[in-house]
């Protein structure tokens, strides 16, 4: 089996220095909490107690960790910081969706969202500042990728969103569908998701964690090898190479065939149902012929198609699909035996779609 190389995809730069005051980021599992406790003569179990304070009891400062001896709390606060971001904007929609615009220590901004749906409390988190994939309808990639998020910055989004919940509620699902291409930053993302899963962390089952990708076969194969059990959602947006390359430029170096066979390998190894995302752009990829092609491409696969009507981005030429086009698209797929659902728009009025709040906020500053 040959795995295609991706000449177009350069790794994004990583986070720079930790916050200027030199303290380590406690939310990063590699921050060195254990050795630090040991050097302070503290028993090893303290690390676990501190993590429980953070993730289960949602302490937002060392001061709040009231059963730790006060001198220890002071020593820890000298060495570690819990937060490296500040909240630049916090918006709440009528449907209960809340969106945070977080400012990172170096001044860049990312977004993350809390969605309330019945008993579900789903968070949507970012993996990079900006994005290099260049999908032509997406706000996140307009200015390219700035840098990878650190593991701590990814965990911090989870925790900031968890803090929006009342004490009796817990996060139930995670989707990595915010800014950035998660499979281009797997080395930072995987340890963050391990914290999300850890029973001493957020305790969210891997089956309730979904990674959304433009479809990078070598990275999908890494996930296959790791056998981590996450759900994979592959953003297709077109069922032929010509159109997909127009909408998802990175496809030129990869090709649909390689994306689909990598997705199949993931399905075979994980047994998890595959999800394919398809953003419907009015009169671009929403015709009957497009739907037929998609049905043929997916034929025989145990797949779910998530149809996402385009969420308009200011300054972009794309249109929302008409209601008739959406219905026709769904009918064709359903008639062909493909499982399909329309992603309901949540929080559209608070710009809760990839990169949109960041751009709206930046525009106001100009
Ligand atoms: N890079 C990853 C994850 C981030 S985007 C990926 O490509 O999957 C998450 C989903 O939102 C993708 O399917 C993406 O194509 C879609 N999306 C981006 N901009 C959108 C917009 N303006 N309207 C609707 N969906 C959008």
């Amino acid at each position: 089996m040959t795995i295609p190389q991706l000449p177009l995809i350069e790794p994004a730069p990583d986070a720079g220095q930790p916050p200027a005051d030199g303290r380590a980021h406690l939310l990063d599992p590699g921050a060195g909490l254990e050795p630090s406790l040991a050097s302070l003569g503290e028993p090893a179990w303290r690390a676990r107690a501190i993590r429980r304070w953070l993730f289960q009891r949602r302490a937002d400062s060392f001061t709040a960790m009231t059963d730790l001896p006060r001198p220890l709390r002071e020593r820890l606060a000298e060495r570690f910081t819990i937060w490296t971001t500040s909240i630049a904007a916090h918006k709440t929609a009528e449907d209960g969706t809340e969106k945070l615009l977080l400012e990172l220590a170096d001044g860049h901004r990312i977004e993350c969202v809390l969605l309330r749906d019945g008993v579900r409390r789903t968070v949507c988190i970012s993996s990079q500042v900006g994005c290099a994939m260049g999908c032509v309808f997406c706000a996140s990639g307009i200015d390219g990728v700035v840098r990878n998020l650190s593991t701590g910055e990814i965990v911090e989004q989870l925790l900031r969103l968890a803090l929006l919940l009342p004490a009796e509620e817990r996060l139930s699902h995670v989707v990595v569908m915010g800014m950035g291409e998660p499979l281009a930053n797997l080395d930072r993302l995987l340890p963050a998701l391990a914290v999300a899963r850890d029973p001493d962390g957020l305790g969210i089952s891997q089956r309730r964690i979904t990674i959304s990708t433009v479809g990078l076969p070598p990275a999908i194969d890494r996930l296959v090898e790791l056998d981590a059990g996450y759900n994979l959602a592959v953003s297709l947006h077109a069922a032929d190479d010509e159109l997909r390359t127009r909408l998802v430029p990175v496809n030129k170096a990869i090709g649909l065939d390689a994306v689909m066979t990598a997705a199949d390998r993931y399905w075979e190894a994980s047994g998890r149902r595959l999800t394919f995302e398809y953003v419907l752009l009015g009169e671009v990829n929403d015709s009957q012929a497009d739907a037929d092609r998609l049905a043929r491409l997916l034929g025989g696969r145990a797949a779910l198609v998530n149809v996402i009507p385009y969420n308009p981005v200011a300054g972009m030429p794309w249109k929302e699909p008409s209601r008739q086009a959406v219905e026709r698209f769904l009918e064709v797929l359903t008639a062909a035996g493909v499982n399909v659902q329309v992603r309901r728009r949540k929080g559209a009025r608070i710009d809760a779609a990839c990169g949109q709040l960041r751009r709206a906020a930046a525009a106001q500053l100009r």
Side-chain angles (χ1 to χ4, degrees):
M1 178 181 73
T2 52
I3 293 171
Q5 293 304 304
L6 303 176
L8 288 180
I9 304 172
E10 294 278 325
D14 291 323
Q17 296 303 308
D21 62 16
R23 289 181 295 172
H25 193 189
L26 188 64
L27 300 184
D28 189 326
L33 178 60
E34 283 82 356
S36 205
L37 286 169
S39 75
L40 292 168
E42 292 289 333
W45 54 261
R46 286 264 196 236
R48 189 162 174 230
I50 289 167
R51 295 218 163 86
R52 290 176 62 86
W53 265 117
L54 288 171
F55 296 107
Q56 277 152 33
R57 306 169 85 172
R58 296 184 200 148
D60 62 359
S61 67
F62 288 106
T63 317
M65 301 181 187
T66 45
D67 61 3
L68 297 188
R70 185 186 300 263
L72 174 60
R73 283 187 257 159
E74 285 165 4
R75 287 296 88 67
L76 289 171
E78 287 161 14
R79 295 178 182 202
F80 296 96
T81 179
I82 300 177
W83 308 108
T84 62
T85 71
S86 58
I87 299 177
H90 178 184
K91 293 196 176 187
T92 306
E94 278 162 20
D95 62 13
T97 302
E98 292 186 61
K99 177 154 186 161
L100 296 178
L101 180 68
L102 297 181
E103 183 158 316
L104 308 172
D106 61 7
H108 292 300
R109 290 172 165 203
I110 55 161
E111 318 177 347
C112 53
V113 183
L114 168 69
L115 300 121
R116 295 177 159 91
D117 191 3
V119 295
R120 287 185 179 212
R121 298 292 176 265
T122 303
V123 291
C124 175
I125 55 171
S126 295
S127 54
Q128 297 180 310
V129 181
C131 184
M133 301 299 114
C135 301
V136 296
F137 50 84
C138 175
S140 295
I142 293 175
D143 302 318
V145 65
V146 177
R147 67 167 173 87
N148 286 324
L149 293 182
S150 67
T151 297
E153 287 166 336
I154 299 172
V155 174
E156 188 160 332
Q157 294 172 67
L158 295 168
L159 216 47
R160 287 247 184 238
L161 293 164
L163 280 166
L164 302 178
L165 294 174
E168 67 278 9
E169 290 184 9
R170 296 172 55 91
L171 298 182
S172 63
H173 294 73
V174 177
V175 295
V176 191
M177 290 187 184
M179 287 171 60
E181 169 49 48
L183 294 199
N185 190 20
L186 262 188
D187 290 340
R188 317 295 171 315
L189 177 66
L190 289 172
L193 295 182
V195 172
R197 288 165 65 171
D198 185 352
D200 288 330
L202 291 166
I204 302 170
S205 156
Q206 65 271 22
R207 297 177 160 257
R208 294 177 165 202
I209 298 178
T210 301
I211 303 175
S212 176
T213 177
V214 74
L216 305 178
I220 292 175
D221 284 321
R222 251 188 87 193
L223 284 179
V224 169
E225 277 162 32
L226 288 169
D227 194 19
Y230 300 119
N231 298 305
L232 191 68
V234 178
S235 295
L236 274 185
H237 314 321
D240 64 277
D241 271 318
E242 198 263 328
L243 182 58
R244 188 166 196 263
T245 295
R246 200 143 62 82
L247 301 179
V248 182
V250 77
N251 185 64
K252 191 172 166 53
I254 304 170
L256 261 175
D257 205 37
V259 172
M260 297 307 290
T261 53
D264 286 341
R265 290 193 291 277
Y266 193 83
W267 175 74
E268 277 161 29
S270 69
R272 311 292 294 145
R273 178 173 66 177
L274 289 174
T275 302
F276 293 98
E277 294 165 279
Y278 194 107
V279 172
L280 273 187
L281 303 165
E283 290 164 41
V284 172
N285 64 352
D286 64 347
S287 71
Q288 170 130 19
D290 290 312
D292 284 332
R293 258 192 299 276
L294 181 60
R296 273 200 302 280
L297 179 72
L298 297 179
R301 288 182 166 90
L304 170 72
V305 176
N306 233 327
V307 167
I308 315 167
Y310 170 62
N311 203 352
V313 177
M316 283 196 163
W318 317 99
K319 288 192 298 196
E320 290 174 74
S322 69
R323 189 154 10 132
Q324 294 89 311
V326 176
E327 276 165 19
R328 180 181 58 201
F329 204 83
L330 299 178
E331 273 165 25
V332 171
L333 290 174
T334 308
V338 177
N339 292 313
V340 56
Q341 68 181 25
V342 187
R343 189 182 296 163
R344 277 179 298 145
R345 293 256 300 264
K346 283 198 156 267
R349 277 208 255 122
I350 55 167
D351 292 331
C354 313
Q356 294 190 10
L357 179 63
R358 180 181 70 136
R359 289 202 78 75
Q364 273 166 21
L365 292 176
R366 267 186 218 123

